[in-house]
Amino acid sequence: MRRRALLPAVLSLLLLAALGLHLFLGRDAPPVTEALTALSRGEAGSYDQSVVLFQRLPRALIAIYAGAMTAAAGCVLQGLVRNPLASPSTLGINSGATLAVIAGVFLLDLGLEAQGFAALVGAVGGFLASLAVTRLAGRNNDPRGLSLILSGALVSMLLVGTTNALMLSDPMRRADFLSWVSGNVNHVYIDRLYAFWWIGVLCLLILGALSRALTLILLGSEKAASAGVNVRPVSTLALAAAVVGAGSAVAICGPIGFIGLVVPHLVRPFAGANVALALPCCLLLGAGISLLADFGAREAFHPYVLHTGLVMDLLGGLAFAMIVKRFYLSPAVRDQA
Amino acid sequence: MSSLTLSNLTASYGQTPVLMRVSAEFSPGRLTVLAGPNGCGKSTLLKAIMGFLPKMHGDIILDGQPIGQIGRRRLARRIAYLPQESFCPDYMTLGELVELAGYSRYALVGGPSDRDRQLFRKALETVGLADKAHLQVNTLSGGQRQRAWIAMVLAQDTDIILMDEPVNHLDVKYQYAVLGLVRALVRQHGKTVIMVLHDLNLAATFADDIVLMNAGHILATGPVSATITSENIARVFDLDADIFPHDGRLVCLPRLAPSASASA
């Protein structure tokens, strides 16, 4: 128990280390003294200082936000829909938000703020569409929730396809959004972070306040209700906060997969099932991994910079296969079924 | 001590009626067993009290107040419920599980008080798991796990406890240990316990009162010694059984049916 309580501190150190790596190291890194001067003064007196202040720092902040929000959303979603494969990228949330932003820009000429709002609406829409398809498929005789994940995949395919069709329709604008749509941490999106960060903070506050009730819901809705939880309103509010929080991350830097799916699995063996502890740990680890992935994307093929989203998708595919193997294909599980 | 009264309770799952005009009064400070054949509505009766049924008519009164008017949080301080099947997520420790029981007493921020912690420790001591609080629930043995859930119910610190087949998956030794523990709670702490139990011999040994149900009706109710009779058992279970006292308690021994109707 005492070891578990130390976990957030350990993960905070990890996050700080990742942040230091991201800001101060790598090829073409400005001298550390220059970087520190820029950060402490908050203004750039030289080219090196402006690189730190206007490229590396914004990039780091975006990576932290996107990683933290998707990991937190994945943690809550996996608990509430009782499915180890649930995450913003597997339940139509990311693709819904992406389509909404692209449709808003290409068809309605939405401005920045309106794009953010569209992303939130799209995230909720994509999630509800996945649930609706599951309902159609009949999930009563599906104890392990495979149909929910398959529905999410189908809905995502439809939404991504529609997004691509829209992108193809307008070559002029396509160039502006080509990198955003594949999930790209980039300092040019910092104005989006300034516009939307409060949404994530609000969602996290809501989830934090509900964390004890969410832990009880893991025991089953009747057990939770008998212990004093109003299961329906709590579940609805928590799902909304998770989906909207994940949508706000998409609004900033496009859909980033992997983290929402995998981080909760990494955290759970150490933090346990208690949401009040697992949630902050997911936040910290999600932000840290996101920073490291972005660092890797920036440095791996120097001087070319990879899309962070692509790096994540590569890692995510591997992790997805491992989770499927563990929860669905391992001999012990098959014997149960 | 709280009193719980049901009057004219009717409930159904979809089109199938499961409780029909059920009326009962549960005496405070006593252990009442609900018994009857499979599907007779025993578990449904507990769920009805907890407010888990979508369609329901009739009144459930807790200390003069209709139970539907009591909010979930307040109700959780009065009644605790142990479902038939309990599920614990991986990696959750026994200590964490028991601590969750205090949810209805916690403020939005801030956790258990000193009194709560003392309560948790006592609950674990009562079920004999005080040294296991740091272990994961899913690594405990079946008997220990069931006692863990009972500890959680105790830690909720309510006057009334509803239990749905609390000894279902336990071997005979733990059946007696767990039920003995529940009876001690009733005797020493004045708890009111309402429990679904399949085994009439266990009911006869541990219960004060018994409610015999069949097809959504209550057929007989009263103190164990007066209610478990050959005649009542025949009516409720459609079974011939010898009922006789042995060593100060009733024994219910079904007669062997003629081989022709053995499968009926």
Side-chain angles (χ1 to χ4, degrees), chain B residues 2-216:
Chain B
S2 308
S3 83
L4 184 64
T5 313
L6 320 180
S7 56
N8 277 324
L9 201 62
T10 300
S12 55
Y13 285 134
Q15 296 295 319
T16 328
V18 275
L19 294 176
M20 280 172 290
R21 302 179 68 76
V22 167
S23 297
E25 202 178 333
F26 297 101
S27 315
R30 285 174 83 82
L31 200 170
T32 306
V33 160
L34 308 178
N38 290 327
C40 70
K42 312 173 296 260
S43 297
T44 310
L45 190 64
L46 294 190
K47 289 186 188 210
I49 296 172
M50 293 308 298
F52 294 153
L53 300 184
K55 274 194 269 176
M56 211 172 71
H57 305 282
D59 297 315
I60 305 175
I61 309 288
L62 177 63
D63 288 339
Q65 194 181 11
I67 216 161
Q69 292 176 8
I70 306 175
R72 274 270 164 241
R73 264 177 104 85
R74 276 210 298 143
L75 189 63
R77 288 178 225 159
R78 314 281 296 280
I79 304 184
Y81 171 66
L82 181 66
Q84 195 169 352
E85 301 285 344
S86 297
F87 167 82
C88 185
D90 283 343
Y91 306 115
M92 184 175 277
T93 63
L94 178 56
E96 285 177 316
L97 181 74
V98 170
E99 192 177 309
L100 287 173
Y103 175 80
S104 61
R105 298 191 296 273
Y106 301 152
L108 186 61
V109 283
S113 63
D114 286 345
R115 185 183 164 277
D116 285 322
R117 292 193 187 286
Q118 215 172 347
L119 209 62
F120 300 150
R121 213 170 307 124
K122 243 181 80 187
L124 285 176
E125 274 167 21
T126 309
V127 299
L129 294 176
D131 56 334
K132 304 248 187 314
H134 62 287
L135 294 181
Q136 291 179 17
V137 175
N138 288 350
T139 62
L140 300 176
S141 72
Q144 288 173 333
R145 225 177 304 166
Q146 190 62 14
R147 284 186 285 155
W149 289 105
I150 291 172
M152 186 185 177
V153 163
L154 296 182
Q156 207 170 320
D157 193 27
T158 56
D159 281 349
I160 301 177
I161 299 174
L162 311 183
M163 300 176 138
D164 198 346
E165 303 198 29
V167 296
N168 210 9
H169 300 297
L170 302 183
D171 63 36
V172 69
K173 180 184 156 202
Y174 277 117
Q175 289 184 351
Y176 276 74
V178 164
L179 290 177
L181 190 144
V182 173
R183 190 168 63 171
L185 287 171
V186 174
R187 293 277 181 281
Q188 290 160 21
H189 302 273
K191 307 264 186 204
T192 306
V193 174
I194 305 168
M195 180 191 291
V196 171
L197 217 52
H198 262 298
D199 188 322
L200 285 172
N201 285 314
L202 289 177
T205 305
F206 292 102
D208 299 307
D209 298 322
I210 188 161
V211 173
L212 292 172
M213 297 182 68
N214 190 338

Side-chain angles (χ1 to χ4, degrees), chain A residues 204-228:
Chain A
L204 290 178
L205 286 177
I206 291 174
L207 292 176
L210 295 178
S211 59
R212 209 175 261 136
L214 289 173
T215 312
L216 267 164
I217 289 176
L218 295 177
L219 306 180
S221 54
E222 290 191 350
K223 189 68 209 178
S226 76

Side-chain angles (χ1 to χ4, degrees), chain A residues 63-237:
Chain A
I64 287 174
Y65 183 89
M69 289 314 300
T70 37
C75 172
V76 171
L77 287 169
Q78 286 174 11
L80 277 177
V81 307
R82 290 172 167 271
N83 195 309
L85 290 172
S87 78
S89 44
T90 48
L91 294 182
I93 297 167
N94 279 354
S95 49
T98 309
L99 174 59
V101 170
I102 294 295
V105 172
F106 281 54
L107 303 177
L108 304 172
D109 263 327
L110 292 185
L112 183 67
E113 305 257 310
Q115 283 176 31
F117 184 70
L120 305 187
V121 173
V124 174
F127 179 63
L128 292 180
S130 300
L131 284 188
V133 173
T134 315
R135 202 50 63 86
L136 281 178
R139 66 176 184 188
N140 288 342
N141 44 16
D142 179 20
R144 283 187 285 149
L146 267 180
S147 64
L148 177 66
I149 298 305
L150 291 176
S151 307
L154 287 174
V155 167
S156 293
M157 276 183 226
L158 177 69
L159 296 174
V160 169
T162 317
T163 308
N164 288 341
L166 279 171
M167 297 269 294
L168 288 171
S169 70
D170 192 339
M172 301 295 288
R173 281 190 177 137
R174 184 162 64 214
D176 295 341
F177 278 87
L178 202 53
S179 62
W180 178 87
V181 88
S182 62
N184 188 20
V185 174
N186 191 315
H187 57 272
V188 299
Y189 299 136
I190 190 66
D191 45 347
R192 291 168 178 264
L193 180 66
Y194 284 141
F196 307 135
W197 63 271
W198 59 271
I199 299 172
V201 172
L202 188 67
C203 290
L204 290 178
L205 286 177
I206 291 174
L207 292 176
L210 295 178
S211 59
R212 209 175 261 136
L214 289 173
T215 312
L216 267 164
I217 289 176
L218 295 177
L219 306 180
S221 54
E222 290 191 350
K223 189 68 209 178
S226 76
V229 179
N230 287 302
V231 176
R232 257 202 116 93
V234 166
S235 306
T236 311
L237 186 60

Side-chain angles (χ1 to χ4, degrees), chain A residues 41-52:
Chain A
R41 292 221 315 255
E43 55 183 352
S46 68
Y47 173 76
D48 276 346
Q49 291 183 7
S50 72
V51 165
V52 171

